[in-house]
Each structure stands twice: as structure tokens, then as C-alpha cells.
Amino acid sequence: ENALIDFGLEEIDSVIGKLRRSNLLGILGPPKGGKTRMANYLVGKCLDAGLNVVVWPLEGNSEEWEAMQTALLVRKQSGSSLDSKKILERKYENDDIRQLVIAAKTQMATDFNRGKLSFIEGTAYLEDFIDILKQHYESENAYDVVVIDSLVNIESRARVSKSEKISEAYMLFKRFLVNGLKVPPLGIVPAQLKQSYVDFLRKNPGEDIDVTAGGESAETIRSPDEIIGLFSSKEERNAGIMNIYSVGTRHSQTFDNFAARCELACCYFYSDPELNK
């Protein structure tokens, strides 16, 4: 009952199995490196499985997330890789593409076999963001999965340092996932790598992402149960290749670093054994 979804990537699933209720998954990566796109990919898997999801987009907004979910659904249903930005701007190459988008949006709104997707808008404050998560659960959407993108952007009404804010927020959020609701949800939190580590990986592309790589606060590494790292060069991303690293885990098994196929424009990831020979 507690096992919710897998990654749909054999290299990870064969080792860690499914993500579970009360787990906190951290997704580390550089700016514009695919973190939010990976989170959207996982949200799409949750919705397909009939799981309810709430997203608190502290970077970006709900319209961008809805466009990404639409692009992902179009990709899974028709095989067409459509840029979510074009959906957001309503710029379609032809009427066939427009009809695919309309069909995907209609399904998202009316297919009761899919989970419900809702959003919390506005700034998150350290002092009451857990209360807002509870209120949303009780009044809007009894969610199975909660995504905060990104928790390092949390604010405080008190005079505390950025590192202290983030550390406290991660610890409060993890405690909430375990004990805050009668049915514990799964948490997903993207976070940026330290800029110094981004520079290091660019100069040393064969190196691992390790537990010193978390930006802003050590809790970005300590609090999550599982952490994956995403890092590919611009050339690799343009070629549809994403390098995925096992950064840290509370469990004994870690997967080997590997390359996967990615269509970032529509938030789609899949395994390709040929990339890892």
C-alpha cells in the first residue's frame, strides 16, 4: 500500500524499487538542467497511476506546470514531442498538433481514472507552510504526492539566515511527510547544485555527484531518503541525453550512474541500454 510509483527507468528501478509514502525524493542539478522537467515526468507517472498530486511552484507558476503536463501527455499518447513553451504560448505548427493538445487537456480535466492535480500559489513562509499544506489536503485535494519546486526558495518572517531557513524547512517538511497526515504522502523536491560543483563537473565530466554537492544547506542532502543528480552538458541535452547519478540514500543499495534518453521539451525520460555500453 505504501509503494506508489517507480521511475520507469530500469537502471534505477532494478535497484531501489518503488518510491513510497513518507519518502522524500531530492532531485539535484544545475540551473536549467532538467530538475523541474524530471519532477514533471514523475508527476505524470503519479497521475497516470490515479494518485492525487499537489504542486507548490516556488519557481515558475501553475500555468507552466500545466503546459508541461499537457506536453507530457501528448508525448505518451501520440509520440509527438511538443515543446511545452509552445503550448503555453498557444503556438502550434498545424491544426493536427492543436487537436492533440486539446485532446490532452480534455483528458486531464475529465478522465476520472487519472489522479487530481492541484496547485498552491504564492510565497511559502517557514512559519506556516506546513499549515497551508494541511489546509490544502483537507479542503482542496487529498493528495498522495506533494512537490515543492523549490524548497530552497522558502521565506521567513523572522530574521534568520538563508541556510537556517532552508535547513529548518527541509526538516519540517520531512517530519510532515512522516507524521503530518493520516495517510503519509510522497514528497518530491528539486534543488540546485552548488555553483562551485557545477563548475567542477563541467571541467571534469567523468566525476560523480557526491554528498558535498548540495547547495545552500546540508539538509538538501541529509533530509531526503533518495537523491538523484542530473547533469549533462548543453551538447548532451541537445542530443537528448541526460546523465543521472545516485547522490545519496538512507538505504543500502545505490544504482550505478547511467545515461538516459530525455526529451526535455515535453518532460519525457526513458532508458536506452545502447547509451551505457
Side-chain angles (χ1 to χ4, degrees):
E1 292 181 0
N2 286 330
L4 296 183
I5 60 157
D6 57 27
F7 278 83
L9 298 169
E10 175 63 23
E11 293 86 351
I12 300 179
D13 297 336
S14 62
V15 177
I16 69 173
K18 291 191 174 184
L19 296 170
R20 305 175 65 83
R21 293 186 183 277
S22 81
N23 278 174
L24 175 55
L25 170 68
I27 304 174
L28 280 179
K32 309 297 182 183
K35 304 182 299 298
T36 297
R37 302 275 164 173
M38 172 61 81
N40 263 279
Y41 165 74
L42 294 173
V43 165
K45 288 184 64 65
C46 292
L47 295 172
D48 288 345
L51 300 170
N52 296 331
V53 181
V54 61
V55 177
W56 199 336
L58 300 181
E59 293 183 355
N61 55 54
S62 59
E63 289 80 12
E64 291 170 345
W65 273 78
E66 288 172 344
M68 285 187 271
Q69 283 300 306
T70 303
L72 177 58
L73 192 55
V74 167
R75 173 62 178 81
K76 288 187 287 190
Q77 290 184 336
S78 70
S80 298
S81 186
L82 180 61
D83 192 335
S84 65
K85 294 178 181 177
K86 292 186 177 180
I87 294 175
L88 194 63
E89 298 168 356
R90 295 180 172 84
K91 293 181 179 178
Y92 309 124
E93 294 179 7
N94 53 57
D95 191 61
D96 289 342
I97 296 295
R98 188 174 69 86
Q99 292 301 325
L100 288 174
V101 171
I102 291 172
K105 288 183 175 181
T106 301
Q107 182 175 354
M108 289 168 62
T110 61
D111 186 352
F112 295 108
N113 291 318
R114 285 173 57 83
K116 178 180 179 180
L117 175 62
S118 62
F119 296 93
I120 300 174
E121 301 280 10
T123 304
Y125 289 94
L126 181 64
E127 291 77 12
D128 61 7
F129 82 103
I130 297 298
D131 291 335
I132 291 173
L133 287 171
K134 290 179 179 179
Q135 290 167 8
H136 192 88
Y137 183 91
E138 293 166 0
S139 63
E140 298 290 337
N141 182 10
Y143 50 82
D144 304 285
V145 181
V146 52
V147 182
I148 303 181
D149 185 19
S150 166
L151 196 54
V152 298
N153 292 322
I154 196 154
E155 298 291 343
S156 174
R157 297 184 177 93
R159 291 185 177 180
V160 295
S161 70
K162 188 171 185 178
S163 179
E164 289 174 319
K165 280 189 300 186
I166 295 167
S167 295
E168 183 69 12
Y170 266 84
M171 288 187 284
L172 287 171
F173 186 51
K174 175 57 184 175
R175 201 174 304 144
F176 166 75
L177 294 174
V178 176
N179 298 313
L181 301 173
K182 289 183 179 179
V183 181
L186 164 69
I188 300 174
V189 178
Q192 281 192 188
L193 289 165
K194 288 179 184 175
Q195 185 58 49
S196 60
Y197 214 88
V198 173
D199 296 339
F200 170 76
L201 288 171
R202 284 174 177 158
K203 293 177 182 177
N204 303 277
E207 294 294 326
D208 288 347
I209 297 177
D210 65 27
V211 294
T212 68
E216 307 292 353
S217 167
E219 288 304 324
T220 60
I221 297 291
R222 282 201 293 249
S223 292
D225 299 276
E226 302 283 352
I227 307 169
I228 63 169
L230 308 179
F231 195 90
S232 292
S233 66
K234 183 178 180 180
E235 292 74 21
E236 287 172 322
R237 291 196 301 273
N238 288 340
I241 298 172
M242 180 61 69
N243 297 314
I244 302 180
Y245 300 75
S246 178
V247 181
T249 177
R250 292 182 183 273
H251 312 296
S252 58
Q253 289 184 303
T254 59
F255 60 86
D256 293 331
N257 301 336
F258 68 100
R261 292 288 179 187
C262 66
E263 298 171 21
L264 292 178
C266 61
C267 309
Y268 191 67
F269 296 77
Y270 58 98
S271 295
D272 182 354
E274 293 296 319
L275 292 175
N276 300 290
K277 285 185 176 180

